[in-house]
Amino acid sequence: MVQVPTASSQETIALFEKYVIPNYGRFPIALVRGEGSFVWDAEGNRYLDLFPGWGCNLLGHCPPAVVEAVREQLGRLIHVPNTWYTEAQGQWAQMLSERSFGGQAFFCNSGTEAVEAAIKLARLHTPKQRYKIITFEGGFHGRTLGSTSATAQPKYHEGLGPLVAGFVYAPYGDLDAAAALIDDETAAILIEPVQGEGGIRIPPEGFLQGLRKLADDRGLLLIFDEVQTGCGRTGNWFAYQGFDVVPDVMTLAKALCGGIAGGAMLTTKEIAPSLRPGMHAATFGGNPIAARAGIATLETVERGNLLGAAVKLGDLFRERLGALQEECELVRDVRVRGLMIGLELVVEGAAVVKACMERGLLVNCTQGTVIRLLPALTLTEEQAHEGCDILADVIRQQAVSEEQS
Ligand SMILES: *Cc1c(COP(=O)(O)O)cnc(C)c1O
């Protein structure tokens, strides 16, 4: 049943123009309802969403198990601060620990907060003079000043300086360049195992293991930002598990709570005490709503064998989009890791995103030319084919109009 909205998209847009700071580029559509991989706008149009919640809605829109857990929790206890214990936070930490490298968790509310916690931990854990952190070009770590400084993309720094001191940048995939940046003041290496916002860039063979070795040899922490890659997205619980390398610290958010806001930083039991009492906190971190949503998300992935589904669906996308690349010279590259999917075009992708939307398909474009999909792990094969059909059609038409212009 499509709900009858009280305001049209236009009326809602008018409210925003008056009262909401215009710091986002928005599509001129107000969304009112979602279910699985579909969302509906205020006019009753339905969209197939292959980018639900920017990767936050791992199980699609309004997954029943998450809705149920949150509803139940809302009636019992919404929020208590971290001066008390709650069973849910403890259970959630245990579940994350058992599915990763067996450490301990600090909970927060977003990806950028998880990265900030990791930055502080790196400075606190290593000897006093060490504060520098090596990050990688094209990476993305968030929007607070520390994580923005960690993000080696000049366009995100414009006008913000001076940035937080100590971040040095290496080209992604260049082990020698990373090694050359290490000095006596280096505390850590921070990297997304697969770059997301940077255009679904998959590390070259041996690169992450090489960073592990560098960190071990030079006494640095190896921090993986798994905010986008984590929680089943790549077909493993965490992307590092598919690269045969284990980080010292891992940051999580986006998909972590199946669409509810939540973030976490995990580290080993040996490193964890460096985040001493009083040195860091998040008022809402690990609250009972997020915890119950996080637990329900992990359980749903497990019960539905959705890690396997992510691999299988990823193969479907690789095959379909690979065929499109063969056929259409507008497609430069196809990069797939589970349900992280990048289709790099030789032209700007904005027109493709718009044309897809007009045909009822939601996709994203990052770095100007990369069509990015982060579909729900619950997407059906039929929906995946439907999405690929529309996307292929739109790109073929785009190729024709490029030729004519
Ligand atoms: C989205 C993202 C972040 C920032 O997360 P927020 O929840 O928006 O603060 C950090 N790191 C990576 C890899 C991301 O994809």
Side-chain angles (χ1 to χ4, degrees):
M1 254 284 295
V2 177
Q3 229 173 318
V4 181
T6 50
S8 69
S9 289
Q10 275 318 311
E11 285 166 334
T12 298
I13 291 165
L15 274 181
F16 271 60
E17 281 171 354
K18 253 181 128 165
Y19 299 114
V20 180
I21 293 177
N23 63 309
Y24 297 101
R26 296 181 199 266
F27 300 114
I29 293 170
L31 298 176
V32 294
R33 194 175 78 87
E35 189 184 325
S37 287
F38 290 110
V39 280
W40 286 263
D41 67 17
E43 282 64 43
N45 300 304
R46 192 185 80 165
Y47 303 87
L48 175 61
D49 192 354
L50 294 187
F51 199 65
W54 283 73
C56 298
N57 302 352
L58 185 74
L59 308 171
H61 294 273
C62 303
V66 173
V67 170
E68 225 14 75
V70 168
R71 270 209 180 112
E72 196 279 330
Q73 186 62 45
L74 277 170
R76 277 200 297 138
L77 193 63
I78 293 178
H79 177 65
V80 287
N82 280 297
T83 37
W84 282 275
Y85 293 94
T86 59
E87 183 184 350
Q89 186 180 139
Q91 274 183 355
W92 190 21
Q94 179 186 8
M95 289 178 78
L96 290 169
S97 176
E98 287 174 353
R99 283 154 189 77
S100 60
F101 47 80
Q104 295 182 321
F106 162 79
F107 290 105
C108 49
N109 310 290
S110 65
T112 200
E113 279 178 81
V115 170
E116 296 292 342
I119 294 168
K120 275 196 183 177
L121 177 65
R123 289 190 179 195
L124 288 168
H125 182 73
T126 52
K128 203 165 180 252
Q129 83 281 4
R130 294 187 182 238
Y131 69 101
K132 291 182 184 165
I133 297 180
I134 298 169
T135 67
F136 294 87
E137 290 167 11
F140 184 83
H141 299 292
R143 298 297 201 154
T144 49
L145 200 55
S147 63
T148 294
S149 304
T151 296
Q153 299 194 53
K155 67 180 181 197
Y156 293 134
H157 298 165
E158 262 169 49
L160 284 180
L163 299 176
V164 173
F167 291 95
V168 289
Y169 311 135
Y172 185 72
D174 189 338
L175 203 53
D176 293 336
L181 288 174
I182 300 172
D183 63 26
D184 293 343
E185 295 175 334
T186 309
I189 299 170
L190 165 64
I191 188 167
E192 297 164 80
V194 175
Q195 285 189 344
E197 195 270 353
I200 314 296
R201 291 169 71 192
I202 297 162
E205 191 73 38
F207 178 57
L208 297 176
Q209 283 106 317
L211 293 179
R212 176 72 272 176
K213 188 167 183 315
L214 273 183
D216 288 341
D217 291 349
R218 307 294 294 271
L220 319 178
L221 291 188
L222 182 63
I223 305 167
F224 279 0
D225 183 350
E226 293 236 22
V227 167
Q228 193 162 143
T229 53
C231 306
R233 170 62 60 198
T234 64
N236 288 104
W237 275 119
F238 306 102
Y240 78 83
Q241 292 161 335
F243 291 105
D244 201 22
V245 54
V246 183
D248 302 304
V249 181
M250 172 167 75
T251 56
L252 301 173
K254 291 214 166 86
L256 182 62
C257 303
I260 296 283
M265 178 191 69
L266 270 63
T267 190
T268 65
K269 212 159 185 282
E270 292 68 44
I271 297 168
S274 292
L275 207 69
R276 332 182 270 279
M279 284 311 292
H280 198 55
T283 300
F284 275 114
N287 69 76
I289 304 299
R292 290 292 302 277
I295 291 168
T297 300
L298 294 170
E299 284 174 349
T300 304
V301 169
E302 219 140 51
R303 286 206 191 110
N305 187 24
L306 297 182
L307 297 180
V311 173
K312 205 156 164 246
L313 281 165
D315 289 342
L316 186 159
F317 278 101
R318 188 182 292 108
E319 201 170 297
R320 287 291 315 264
L321 300 177
L324 180 66
Q325 184 187 4
E326 293 285 304
E327 160 205 329
C328 183
E329 48 192 44
L330 220 56
V331 181
R332 175 178 289 151
D333 196 16
V334 174
R335 297 184 288 272
V336 177
R337 189 91 187 175
L339 284 178
M340 284 183 92
I341 298 152
L343 181 89
E344 187 172 342
L345 303 174
V346 299
V347 295
E348 291 287 308
V352 169
V353 173
K354 184 161 180 280
C356 283
M357 201 176 323
E358 284 161 7
R359 296 195 44 183
L361 177 69
L362 303 186
V363 301
N364 169 256
C365 177
T366 187
Q367 300 294 323
T369 56
V370 182
I371 303 299
R372 175 172 49 156
L373 314 178
L374 296 170
L377 272 53
T378 52
L379 189 78
T380 66
E381 289 191 10
E382 193 188 345
Q383 289 164 345
H385 279 299
E386 185 188 335
C388 288
D389 288 342
I390 297 172
L391 185 58
D393 241 30
V394 163
I395 290 174
R396 282 189 205 106
Q397 275 180 13
Q398 181 78 9
V400 171
S401 58
E402 287 286 326
E403 242 164 61
Q404 287 164 349
S405 66

